[in-house]
Amino acid sequence: MQPWSPPPDEVFAALEPDVLVICAGALAPSAPLHEQNWEAFSANWETDVKASFLFCKAALRRPLKPGARIVLISSGAALTGGPPNSGGYAGAKRMQMFLAGHSQKESDRLGLDLRFMALAPMRIMPGTGVGDAGIESISAYMGIRPMEFIAGILDMQTPADVGRAVVALATQKPQGCSFAVSGSGLAPAG
């Protein structure tokens, strides 16, 4: 059963945000590809991509007020492919980057003055619910202890780094639509 979330029109009827951050989604599957069914494999498409699509569409159709910024939280897996036991997670996260770019092109074409961006935290983050679940899953898949896995992570960003990156995207005028944040800071993503 998927958690309830209000439809974008209901949210925009109650709020007219200057900054909208879409950071919602399902945990990635945790099984080898051949042991997953379509429901598990596509969970991130049905939640992460669907929420991003619906909110981007509503922001363009309503539209939100000129100057509003929409930030889709993606993942470094969109750029690296992620682990092989994570189903469609990496593809779903890459699609969020495409959605930001496509939505920006539509905003520009329609003269809406909206700014759509995707932000990909590059490393899994211990100490967060999603990060801890992912670390457990990947470690088990690799047959190592979670601390061994964590020890191999270089240039890891913190939740505070991600927060600072969101603030930078919301307040500055960076070029492009896709960005990555690591321990080294915010940078354009490919």
Side-chain angles (χ1 to χ4, degrees):
M1 182 169 140
Q2 294 194 6
W4 178 86
S5 63
D9 290 336
E10 195 175 309
V11 172
F12 294 157
L15 305 168
E16 191 172 325
D18 294 317
V19 177
L20 176 65
V21 179
I22 305 298
C23 183
L27 291 175
S30 158
L33 181 65
H34 65 282
E35 294 176 10
Q36 294 177 38
N37 60 26
W38 178 248
E39 184 178 2
F41 182 87
S42 66
N44 298 104
W45 286 85
E46 289 296 324
T47 54
D48 309 37
V49 174
K50 186 176 183 180
S52 296
F53 167 75
L54 292 174
F55 273 95
C56 287
K57 178 181 173 181
L60 290 165
R61 289 184 105 186
R62 187 166 194 93
L64 290 182
K65 61 186 166 194
R69 300 196 172 214
I70 300 90
V71 180
L72 309 178
I73 303 297
S74 181
S75 168
L79 301 168
T80 66
N85 68 319
S86 63
Y89 179 79
K93 292 306 189 176
R94 185 66 178 187
M95 187 64 215
Q96 288 178 298
M97 292 179 156
F98 292 143
L99 278 170
H102 296 333
S103 296
Q104 186 61 55
K105 287 176 184 168
E106 282 303 297
S107 174
D108 294 346
R109 185 179 71 83
L110 298 170
L112 299 177
D113 191 28
L114 300 176
R115 186 76 165 89
F116 291 87
M117 296 166 279
L119 176 63
M122 288 305 296
R123 310 290 182 264
I124 199 164
M125 288 183 281
T128 65
V130 172
D132 290 343
I135 289 166
E136 287 293 327
S137 167
I138 297 165
S139 298
Y141 179 79
M142 295 173 67
I144 62 174
R145 294 180 329 202
M147 292 312 294
E148 292 175 83
F149 177 75
I150 292 169
I153 300 174
L154 304 174
D155 201 23
M156 186 186 322
Q157 76 286 333
T158 65
D161 293 329
V162 176
R164 282 189 290 277
V166 169
V167 170
L169 294 178
T171 59
Q172 298 171 11
K173 297 185 187 250
Q175 295 297 310
C177 287
S178 294
F179 301 89
V181 61
S182 66
S184 299
L186 182 64

